[in-house]
Amino acid sequence: DVAPSRGLGDVYKRQIKEVAMSIIVTVSSMIIPAIMLFIVGYGMIKKKNVYDDFVNGAKDGFTTVIKVMPTLIGLMVAVGVLRESGFMTDLGNVLGKFTDPIGFPGQLMPVTIVKIFSSSAATGMVLDIFKEYGPDSYIGNVVSLMMSSTETVFYTMSVYFMAAKVTKTRWTLSGALISTLTGTVASVILAGLL
């Protein structure tokens, strides 16, 4: 027999979760407009021409996009060729023999590798994983957590360092790869706890 208070407690917990989610959704929808309002208000207080500053920033941004476009196209083409050739799947099968025993599914190796180069290509691979295994499966949970806790290391470095004309990257690459590994390990641990 299940005690009536336990069933009632579950109802209260569910209602609290629904209210909390409602609050989070409401606050989330207000954050961007609030930031924009703050920026405009701050600019007005400092007696700045906010619109002209915005237009100048947009011009600079457009110039940066034009400068980094060849790099972006090169990265996207390389990732597309590797993905369509089947190389990534074969690599995932080989590396999966080593990662499966430690809890990291071999099916996620291609996504892990592609993610450090291109988030959009990795997102396409994630959708394929969702279709095959489902978003609520262990593999679906790991890949979801991993996508949100890792970075497109090479894309980010190439875009920002080229735009800022940085030539000595020092420890940036090794630090970024270590943080990506850390995010991936945390994804496996958290998915195991779900």
Side-chain angles (χ1 to χ4, degrees), residues 1-103:
D1 290 314
V2 176
S5 62
R6 180 173 177 206
L8 193 57
D10 290 342
V11 170
Y12 288 134
K13 286 179 185 176
R14 189 177 39 207
Q15 287 177 341
I16 289 171
K17 285 182 182 179
E18 288 173 4
V19 169
M21 186 56 82
S22 173
I23 291 169
I24 290 170
V25 168
T26 302
V27 170
S28 296
S29 66
M30 293 180 185
I31 288 176
I32 299 293
I35 290 172
M36 291 175 65
L37 184 63
F38 172 78
I39 291 170
V40 171
Y42 184 78
M44 291 172 67
I45 289 170
K46 292 290 185 178
K47 300 196 185 320
K48 291 277 190 177
N49 190 336
V50 178
Y51 181 74
D52 285 345
D53 289 344
F54 171 77
V55 170
N56 289 332
K59 284 179 188 174
D60 290 344
F62 188 70
T63 303
T64 301
V65 167
I66 297 299
K67 287 179 183 175
V68 300
M69 190 63 69
T71 304
L72 297 178
I73 291 171
L75 279 172
M76 293 169 103
V77 168
V79 167
V81 166
L82 289 174
R83 182 176 174 207
E84 292 302 318
S85 70
F87 174 77
M88 297 305 291
T89 304
D90 293 341
L91 182 64
N93 291 336
V94 170
L95 294 176
K97 293 176 184 173
F98 302 102
T99 61
D100 280 337
I102 59 172

Side-chain angles (χ1 to χ4, degrees), residues 116-129:
I116 61 176
F117 293 98
S118 169
S119 187
S120 59
T123 300
M125 297 173 89
V126 168
L127 295 176
D128 293 342
I129 288 171

